[in-house]
Amino acid sequence: MQPDRGWVLVNKETIVLTDPAEQTFRTDLFGYGIDVIATPTQYTWDFGDDARRLTTDSPGHAYPDFDVFHVYAQPATAATISLTTTWSGRYRVDGDDEWRDVVGTAETTSVTAPFEVVERRSHLVAQDCNENPDQPGCG
């Protein structure tokens, strides 16, 4: 997620993205070697608030080209975002050059570390808060 600093602002876009890379696996089944390629096809984001889940075929992109985001309406503590990725697959058995589609799909879910959704207000102050942090309005 962006920004990834332990907190995000209420009423501002929280950008989400994931790595859309295919995953390659090798396994053995009944003495035959099998190569498997899993390809992400759909992403479902749950932002942990009352908003509806967001399902997209885009893995999201980083700022400034972002296309998947959420705007939190209320402050929160220990918020998390979960991503469920839907995967399609294909496989090839040793000795056969043909790739075959896996019937059905698989899902994996990952969750961000907890973060806060905070509200910030600006204040006019007499001096720079970095130089004089104890003045009114710098807390």
Side-chain angles (χ1 to χ4, degrees), residues 51-91:
R52 202 180 317 167
R53 291 180 179 176
L54 174 63
T55 299
T56 179
D57 59 359
S58 172
H61 299 91
Y63 180 87
D65 300 319
F66 66 96
D67 60 339
V68 183
F69 62 91
H70 179 67
V71 176
Y72 286 95
Q74 299 293 325
T77 58
T80 59
I81 299 171
S82 66
L83 168 62
T84 300
T85 304
T86 302
W87 303 82
S88 64
R90 52 196 170 114
Y91 68 96

Side-chain angles (χ1 to χ4, degrees), residues 123-139:
H123 301 276
L124 292 177
V125 294
Q127 298 173 334
D128 184 329
C129 286
N130 292 322
E131 295 174 11
N132 186 0
D134 295 325
Q135 68 180 311
C138 287

